[in-house]
Coordinates of all heavy atoms in Angstrom, one line a residue:
V44 N -5.0 131.8 36.5 CA -3.7 131.5 35.8 C -4.0 131.2 34.3 O -4.9 130.4 34.0 CB -3.0 130.2 36.4 CG1 -1.9 129.8 35.6 CG2 -2.6 130.5 37.8
D45 N -3.3 131.9 33.5 CA -3.5 131.8 32.0 C -2.6 130.7 31.5 O -1.3 130.9 31.5 CB -3.2 133.1 31.3 CG -3.7 133.1 29.9 OD1 -3.7 132.1 29.3 OD2 -4.0 134.2 29.4
E46 N -3.1 129.6 31.1 CA -2.3 128.5 30.7 C -1.5 128.9 29.4 O -0.4 128.3 29.2 CB -3.2 127.2 30.3 CG -3.9 126.6 31.5 CD -3.0 126.0 32.5 OE1 -2.0 125.5 32.1 OE2 -3.3 126.1 33.7
D47 N -1.9 129.8 28.6 CA -1.2 130.2 27.4 C 0.0 130.9 27.7 O 0.9 131.1 26.8 CB -2.2 131.0 26.5 CG -1.8 131.0 25.1 OD1 -1.4 130.0 24.6 OD2 -1.7 132.1 24.5
L48 N 0.2 131.4 29.0 CA 1.3 132.3 29.3 C 2.4 131.5 30.0 O 3.4 132.1 30.4 CB 0.9 133.5 30.2 CG 0.2 134.5 29.4 CD1 -0.2 135.7 30.3 CD2 0.9 135.1 28.2
K49 N 2.3 130.2 30.3 CA 3.3 129.5 30.9 C 4.6 129.4 30.1 O 4.5 129.2 28.9 CB 2.8 128.0 31.3 CG 1.8 128.0 32.4 CD 1.5 126.6 32.7 CE 0.5 126.5 34.0 NZ 0.2 125.2 34.3
D50 N 5.7 129.6 30.8 CA 7.0 129.6 30.1 C 7.3 128.2 29.6 O 7.3 127.3 30.3 CB 8.1 130.1 31.0 CG 9.4 130.4 30.3 OD1 9.7 129.7 29.3 OD2 10.0 131.4 30.6
S51 N 7.5 128.1 28.3 CA 7.7 126.8 27.6 C 9.2 126.4 27.5 O 9.5 125.5 26.7 CB 6.9 126.7 26.3 OG 5.6 127.0 26.5
T52 N 10.0 127.1 28.1 CA 11.4 126.8 28.0 C 11.7 125.5 28.8 O 12.0 125.5 30.0 CB 12.3 127.9 28.6 OG1 12.0 129.1 27.9 CG2 13.8 127.6 28.4
D53 N 11.6 124.3 28.2 CA 11.8 123.1 28.9 C 13.0 122.4 28.3 O 13.0 121.8 27.2 CB 10.6 122.2 28.7 CG 10.6 120.9 29.5 OD1 11.7 120.6 30.0 OD2 9.6 120.3 29.7
V54 N 14.1 122.6 28.9 CA 15.4 122.0 28.4 C 15.4 120.5 28.3 O 15.9 119.9 27.4 CB 16.6 122.5 29.3 CG1 17.9 121.9 28.8 CG2 16.7 124.0 29.3
H55 N 14.7 119.9 29.3 CA 14.7 118.4 29.3 C 13.9 117.9 28.1 O 14.3 116.9 27.5 CB 14.1 117.9 30.6 CG 14.9 118.3 31.8 ND1 16.1 117.8 32.0 CD2 14.6 119.1 32.9 CE1 16.6 118.3 33.2 NE2 15.7 119.1 33.7
Q56 N 12.8 118.6 27.8 CA 12.0 118.2 26.6 C 12.9 118.3 25.3 O 12.8 117.5 24.4 CB 10.8 119.0 26.5 CG 9.8 118.6 25.3 CD 9.3 117.3 25.5 OE1 9.0 116.8 26.6 NE2 9.1 116.5 24.4
V57 N 13.7 119.4 25.3 CA 14.5 119.6 24.1 C 15.5 118.4 24.0 O 15.8 118.0 22.9 CB 15.3 120.9 24.3 CG1 16.3 121.1 23.1 CG2 14.3 122.1 24.2
E58 N 16.1 118.0 25.1 CA 17.0 116.9 25.1 C 16.4 115.6 24.6 O 17.0 114.8 23.9 CB 17.6 116.7 26.5 CG 18.5 117.9 26.9 CD 19.0 117.8 28.3 OE1 18.5 116.9 29.0 OE2 19.8 118.6 28.7
E59 N 15.1 115.4 25.0 CA 14.4 114.2 24.6 C 14.1 114.2 23.1 O 14.1 113.2 22.5 CB 13.1 114.0 25.4 CG 13.4 113.8 26.9 CD 12.1 113.8 27.7 OE1 11.0 113.9 27.1 OE2 12.2 113.7 28.9
D60 N 13.7 115.4 22.6 CA 13.4 115.5 21.2 C 14.5 116.2 20.4 O 14.3 117.0 19.6 CB 12.1 116.3 21.0 CG 10.9 115.7 21.9 OD1 11.0 114.5 22.1 OD2 10.1 116.4 22.3
A61 N 15.7 115.7 20.6 CA 16.9 116.4 20.1 C 16.8 116.5 18.5 O 17.3 117.5 18.0 CB 18.2 115.7 20.5
D62 N 16.3 115.5 17.9 CA 16.3 115.6 16.4 C 15.4 116.7 15.9 O 15.6 117.1 14.7 CB 15.7 114.2 15.9 CG 16.7 113.1 16.1 OD1 17.9 113.4 16.4 OD2 16.3 111.9 16.1
E63 N 14.5 117.2 16.6 CA 13.6 118.3 16.2 C 14.2 119.6 16.4 O 13.7 120.6 15.9 CB 12.2 118.2 16.9 CG 11.5 116.9 16.6 CD 10.1 116.9 17.4 OE1 9.7 118.0 17.8 OE2 9.5 115.9 17.5
W64 N 15.3 119.7 17.2 CA 15.8 121.0 17.5 C 17.2 121.3 16.9 O 18.0 120.4 16.7 CB 16.0 121.1 19.1 CG 14.6 121.0 19.8 CD1 13.9 119.9 20.1 CD2 13.9 122.2 20.2 NE1 12.7 120.3 20.7 CE2 12.7 121.6 20.8 CE3 14.1 123.5 20.2 CZ2 11.7 122.4 21.3 CZ3 13.1 124.3 20.8 CH2 11.9 123.8 21.3
Q65 N 17.4 122.5 16.5 CA 18.6 123.0 15.9 C 19.7 123.2 17.0 O 19.5 124.0 17.9 CB 18.4 124.2 15.1 CG 19.6 124.8 14.4 CD 20.2 123.9 13.3 OE1 19.4 123.2 12.6 NE2 21.5 123.9 13.2
V66 N 20.9 122.6 16.8 CA 22.0 122.9 17.6 C 22.8 124.1 17.1 O 23.2 124.0 15.9 CB 22.9 121.7 17.8 CG1 24.1 122.0 18.7 CG2 22.1 120.5 18.4
S67 N 23.0 125.1 17.8 CA 23.7 126.3 17.3 C 25.2 126.1 17.2 O 25.8 125.7 18.2 CB 23.4 127.5 18.2 OG 24.1 128.6 17.8

Side-chain angles (χ1 to χ4, degrees):
V44 172
D45 193 332
E46 295 294 326
D47 202 44
L48 287 183
K49 287 187 175 179
D50 196 318
S51 301
T52 304
D53 189 343
V54 177
H55 297 295
Q56 183 66 32
V57 173
E58 292 173 351
E59 293 174 5
D60 305 330
D62 292 341
E63 298 181 14
W64 295 83
Q65 176 68 33
V66 177
S67 177

